[in-house]
Amino acid sequence: MGLKKWLVCGAPPEGPTENAPPLGQKSKGQSEGGVKGMIIRRFKQGPLARSSSHLNDVNGSLDSVRPASVLGSRESLTMPVSMAESLDLSNDKNIVIRPLHSSILGEKYCFEVINAEGSRCFGCTSAAERDRWIENLRRAAQPNKDNCERTENMLSFWVNDAKDLAPKKRYFWELHLDGSLYARTTSKTNTMGTLFWGELFELDNLPPVSQLTLYLFRDEESKKKSKEDNCPLGSVSISLPELTGRQFMERWYPVAGHSGKERNREGGAVVASIRIKARYQNVKVLPIEQYKEFAEYITFNYMELCTGLEPIISVKEKEELTCALVHVLQSIGKAKDFLKDLGIAEVDRFGEKESLIFRENTLVTKAIDEYMKLVGQKYLIDTLGDFIAGLYQSSVSCEVDPQKCSPSELQEQQQNLRSGCEEAFQRITETYSSFPGELNEIFSCWQEECSIREKRDIGTRLICASLFLRFLCPAIMSPSLFGLTQQYPPDGTARTLTLTAKVIQNLANFTPFGDKEEYMLFINEFLEQHWDRMRAFLQDVSNPDSEVHMSRFDGYVDLPLQLSILHELLCAIIAPIDQPAIDKLHPLPSILNRITDSLGSSAPRISIGSMIVEQSKPVYVPPKDLVKYSPVNNSMQQIYCEDKYRALGKERRAVQRTQSVPARNKTHKGLPARQASTEELPPYPETPQLDISYPASRQDHQTQDQAGMKQLSKTVPWINPPPESLVDKKENEGLHPLEKHDQELSELRRDLDSAADREMELAKRLEDFIAQSQDQHALLQGQVQELRGQLEARDEQLASATFRLGVIEEERGEDLDKLSAAAAALERMNMLEQQYADLVYVINQLKEAQASNQTSNHVAPSNPEKEPVENGDAETKGP
């Protein structure tokens, strides 16, 4: 592999190298042509110089850092992932296996292996395949990983925007951790005062690091580059312990070493700054055995957990909680059941308010969002990856708002939007091979349950709201948040993506555009033409008997890590809430506290209510001096109480005696042979013929004891209880030591018998007490459940009454308003009637006056001398 192996693995190229010129320097008569020359030039000038230097040298100097050029077609520096099988990682304790950000090599889904032999980069076809390879290699290096305590380091980092940079220049940032390059932003041209990136970097599987450094570079596309272009313009250094915690830290940081041309009021240069939002986490992971009880609770009680926490946590906490829950249950194999149960519970909760289903920020909506991102990443890339990339590279405008474009361009841009929507919809409906089979099972279950409830339309609404409203359309609008691209879209591209997502969403909702968006009415014809295809697509993805081949999630989820994250999150959520809400989650708080005790950290403990006893798991504690007393216990188990067996009507089984000691004469001076602890006693009342044997030291007494052995026809003395007269101490003084020993042994047997009887009586009383306690406990539990049910019923009645009271208050307010209006109208009506009566009275008065005037006019001609003269200038006649 020659040069490629040297670039990736740090090994020299194959073949002689003694007379080879330095890297990037041409020998006489040699031209940098072909693939090899292209790689050399790109290694010299492009981002590969930095990536290879930092990949092979974690503490590479800053002098080797060069500005990035525009990413173009080049020879891949990654090896096929199949070559990773040849790595021997079993004896390397300092190995580092981590995913590589796509900005390093310009290729997605790569990972790097750093060990004593050097650094190697491998490329995969998907994120799931990359995660699976990383986990397999980590297990090869540490086979007992899940049973060991470890710490996982993770960094989430937003490069948002920068200000006070020189205008009309292209800039990019490089992200370094303890001197090693980990990621790079895209290049942006500063056309305004603030330059926006909005790029997110998720880095995990990190080694212990303490310093984050951002270097600012200027991206020059010209072929001639000076030495100054190879150096960073400025840097920002951040201590990672300052970013540790659950919450993101966001602030503006000054760029050290870089000042703009503008001046402030004091006359000094304005220092450029960058706005950063980051979070660094050190997650302590215990052995998986420590999470067993916690995992069991999550597996069987996830619905109770969600029901208890839904009303009391914020939207951000819902997002974090469902993310951890989905990953844990996916690893356990219960994620599909989790989504099915939550979806049906959502249907039952809303009832007739079907228009609100999956449109609120609830646990089920956040859970389905996270699950689709987890299992549908490959489907999303196969469906929309090339389409989004084409829009980023295209300069075609799809603006159709007449207020934002000229009338001459409107028709052409409408056609551009229609063509883009046609392409996107075709890719969605025809890409079946990558559709997640897990989503098909969930959708089919929802459809079946809604059909049972006679709400089949609700099932279709659930599928549309999940697949389009919360997955495909948001991915079209914000492709950088769904892993389709790294760069935030430019303004023109963002507008095209927004319009396309609107059309696809209306198509999924079977809703045409209305007067609210009048400029989109032209697309309604397109929607009507494709509604049948949309119905067929929804039918296919929710059909459990579909013959279409669908993919399955083949990624890896680190279960102990996700359980640790979920434990920390639940402790932070539950600890501050009120005690009654905590008690409803019993026994989860006790389980979380036990894990907290094992961590030994400053994680908050959850208070347990006084009515709930925090019980720990039973641990076997052996008695003191168990080794010392075990032989005695074994021998005592061989002793039987004859009276007890007679009372019970049982007979002891016949046991063959192997060694015993007969009664001795008082004149015998030798020490009696003691019974072994494992020796068994003869049955009662029969006396078998004894087989007597003595130790070698006592063979000389065998002859003189032969006569006494022949006369032995009684039971062995220590089997029968001694007479009561032997209890007296004075009588015992004259007994043979062996007989005294028999008497003491009989007393011990009686004591043991009485102790056994007392023990049996106590055990019986204990069993009766336990049974009575269990019955009382069950009765109390039933009463508690009944009281809780009554309380919930009362709460529901109170809520209903409160709601009705509110409605009544609203109606009362409306009635008061109406009454006030009616009173005002009545008052005005009275006033108008009064005015009308006054007018009628005036009219009557006028009529009467007019009538009187007319009467006077008819009487006037009888006196012609007083008749008025019509002409005002005529003289008055005399008498």
Side-chain angles (χ1 to χ4, degrees), residues 829-845:
M829 182 69 72
N830 294 334
M831 184 179 65
L832 291 176
E833 289 180 355
Q834 184 65 34
Q835 292 177 358
Y836 177 72
D838 294 341
L839 288 175
V840 170
Y841 176 75
V842 172
I843 291 172
N844 291 333
Q845 292 292 330

Side-chain angles (χ1 to χ4, degrees), residues 341-407:
D341 296 341
L342 282 183
I344 299 304
E346 192 80 351
V347 173
D348 296 335
R349 183 172 70 92
F350 277 100
E352 299 300 329
K353 300 178 182 179
E354 56 187 48
S355 59
L356 300 178
I357 294 179
F358 278 18
R359 293 184 178 271
E360 297 180 348
N361 289 320
T362 60
L363 286 174
V364 60
T365 57
K366 296 300 181 182
I368 192 64
D369 289 351
E370 187 61 35
Y371 188 71
M372 287 189 294
K373 288 181 181 179
L374 178 64
V375 303
Q377 182 66 24
K378 186 177 186 302
Y379 168 70
L380 198 64
I381 293 174
D382 293 347
T383 303
L384 299 174
D386 295 339
F387 173 72
I388 299 297
L391 289 182
Y392 268 70
Q393 297 174 1
S394 176
S395 59
V396 176
S397 176
C398 294
E399 182 57 68
V400 293
D401 191 349
Q403 298 180 358
K404 299 179 181 180
C405 65
S406 61

Side-chain angles (χ1 to χ4, degrees), residues 509-765:
N509 292 339
F510 302 99
T511 304
F513 288 95
D515 296 336
K516 186 177 180 180
E517 294 176 310
E518 188 176 355
Y519 63 90
M520 296 292 291
L521 292 176
F522 76 96
I523 207 71
N524 285 341
E525 182 181 357
F526 168 82
L527 298 178
E528 294 174 359
Q529 291 176 354
H530 294 82
W531 277 342
D532 292 337
R533 288 178 58 188
M534 175 60 76
R535 291 189 182 91
F537 172 73
L538 295 176
Q539 178 67 25
D540 290 338
V541 298
S542 61
N543 183 10
D545 301 326
S546 177
E547 298 179 356
V548 179
H549 174 72
M550 298 181 182
S551 64
R552 289 285 176 178
F553 176 72
D554 59 349
Y556 171 77
V557 178
D558 192 341
L559 180 58
L561 173 61
Q562 295 301 326
L563 286 171
S564 177
I565 294 174
L566 182 59
H567 164 261
E568 180 181 0
L569 181 61
L570 286 175
C571 288
I573 291 175
I574 298 176
I577 64 178
D578 55 351
Q579 194 61 48
I582 294 178
D583 294 341
K584 289 182 180 179
L585 298 174
H586 181 76
L588 179 61
S590 302
I591 297 173
L592 296 176
N593 284 342
R594 283 194 284 271
I595 298 176
T596 302
D597 296 338
S598 300
L599 286 172
S601 61
S602 59
R605 282 183 57 87
I606 303 172
S607 61
I608 307 298
S610 58
M611 299 299 294
I612 299 176
V613 180
E614 186 173 4
Q615 298 179 353
S616 60
K617 298 178 69 174
V619 179
Y620 171 71
V621 179
K624 275 188 174 183
D625 303 330
L626 177 63
V627 179
K628 179 179 178 181
Y629 293 104
S630 292
V632 177
N633 294 335
N634 291 337
S635 62
M636 297 296 285
Q637 291 175 3
Q638 303 294 334
I639 302 176
Y640 296 88
C641 179
E642 305 299 338
D643 296 337
K644 177 181 175 182
Y645 270 80
R646 291 172 183 171
L648 296 176
K650 296 182 179 180
E651 295 183 2
R652 294 176 55 187
R653 64 185 181 89
V655 181
Q656 182 178 359
R657 179 172 296 278
T658 58
Q659 184 177 357
S660 181
V661 178
R664 305 283 182 178
N665 296 328
K666 295 182 179 181
T667 56
H668 185 72
K669 299 181 180 181
L671 295 177
R674 302 190 61 182
Q675 177 186 357
S677 61
T678 58
E679 188 175 352
E680 298 182 355
L681 302 178
Y684 180 87
E686 298 179 0
T687 303
Q689 198 69 21
L690 300 179
D691 182 12
I692 302 174
S693 60
Y694 296 94
S697 60
R698 304 192 54 168
Q699 292 294 330
D700 53 338
H701 300 287
Q702 184 174 3
T703 306
Q704 51 182 310
D705 291 337
Q706 191 73 22
M709 291 173 59
K710 291 181 180 179
Q711 297 177 357
L712 182 59
S713 59
K714 300 181 180 179
T715 310
V716 179
W718 58 81
I719 292 300
N720 291 328
E724 297 180 357
S725 60
L726 296 179
V727 180
D728 189 27
K729 182 177 179 180
K730 296 181 179 180
E731 296 180 3
N732 292 340
E733 292 178 355
L735 295 178
H736 189 274
L738 184 59
E739 296 176 353
K740 186 183 298 184
H741 172 73
D742 295 342
Q743 179 183 354
E744 294 175 355
L745 186 60
S746 300
E747 293 177 356
L748 289 176
R749 286 174 181 167
R750 287 197 301 271
D751 295 339
L752 179 62
D753 185 27
S754 60
D757 292 339
R758 289 195 301 270
E759 182 180 0
M760 290 184 63
E761 183 179 0
L762 291 175
K764 185 177 180 181
R765 290 182 181 179

Side-chain angles (χ1 to χ4, degrees), residues 238-429:
I238 307 173
S239 176
L240 287 178
E242 298 177 2
L243 308 176
T244 304
R246 288 184 53 246
Q247 304 299 328
F248 278 87
M249 304 291 292
E250 184 174 9
R251 55 169 292 191
W252 287 89
Y253 293 88
V255 181
H258 181 71
S259 300
K261 296 181 180 180
E262 299 182 0
R263 299 289 175 177
N264 55 23
R265 296 180 179 178
E266 290 76 14
V270 177
V271 179
S273 58
I274 180 174
R275 184 164 60 97
I276 295 170
K277 182 180 178 181
R279 179 181 67 182
Y280 181 62
Q281 292 179 292
N282 305 110
V283 182
K284 186 176 180 180
V285 184
L286 297 174
I288 195 170
E289 180 67 22
Q290 300 289 336
Y291 300 106
K292 179 181 179 182
E293 189 177 5
F294 183 38
E296 291 175 353
Y297 178 86
I298 297 299
T299 303
F300 298 105
N301 301 278
Y302 51 77
M303 287 299 297
E304 290 81 356
L305 176 63
C306 294
T307 304
L309 295 180
E310 176 80 54
I312 60 177
I313 61 178
S314 62
V315 176
K316 181 63 178 177
E317 290 173 338
K318 290 178 182 178
E319 184 176 349
E320 295 177 346
L321 177 61
T322 53
C323 178
L325 274 176
V326 164
H327 282 79
V328 168
L329 293 173
Q330 175 66 20
S331 180
I332 296 175
K334 297 284 290 184
K336 290 183 292 185
D337 297 335
F338 175 59
L339 270 299
K340 293 175 184 177
D341 296 341
L342 282 183
I344 299 304
E346 192 80 351
V347 173
D348 296 335
R349 183 172 70 92
F350 277 100
E352 299 300 329
K353 300 178 182 179
E354 56 187 48
S355 59
L356 300 178
I357 294 179
F358 278 18
R359 293 184 178 271
E360 297 180 348
N361 289 320
T362 60
L363 286 174
V364 60
T365 57
K366 296 300 181 182
I368 192 64
D369 289 351
E370 187 61 35
Y371 188 71
M372 287 189 294
K373 288 181 181 179
L374 178 64
V375 303
Q377 182 66 24
K378 186 177 186 302
Y379 168 70
L380 198 64
I381 293 174
D382 293 347
T383 303
L384 299 174
D386 295 339
F387 173 72
I388 299 297
L391 289 182
Y392 268 70
Q393 297 174 1
S394 176
S395 59
V396 176
S397 176
C398 294
E399 182 57 68
V400 293
D401 191 349
Q403 298 180 358
K404 299 179 181 180
C405 65
S406 61
S408 59
E409 300 174 345
L410 182 59
Q411 185 175 0
E412 180 182 357
Q413 293 175 5
Q414 287 179 348
Q415 182 59 35
N416 294 339
L417 178 60
R418 188 182 293 106
S419 300
C421 294
E422 178 71 35
E423 180 182 357
F425 183 63
Q426 182 178 358
R427 290 176 178 271
I428 291 172
T429 55

Side-chain angles (χ1 to χ4, degrees), residues 108-122:
K108 295 182 178 181
Y109 320 126
C110 300
F111 66 92
E112 178 187 16
V113 180
I114 304 174
N115 57 2
E117 299 178 358
S119 172
R120 296 173 174 83
C121 303
F122 301 91

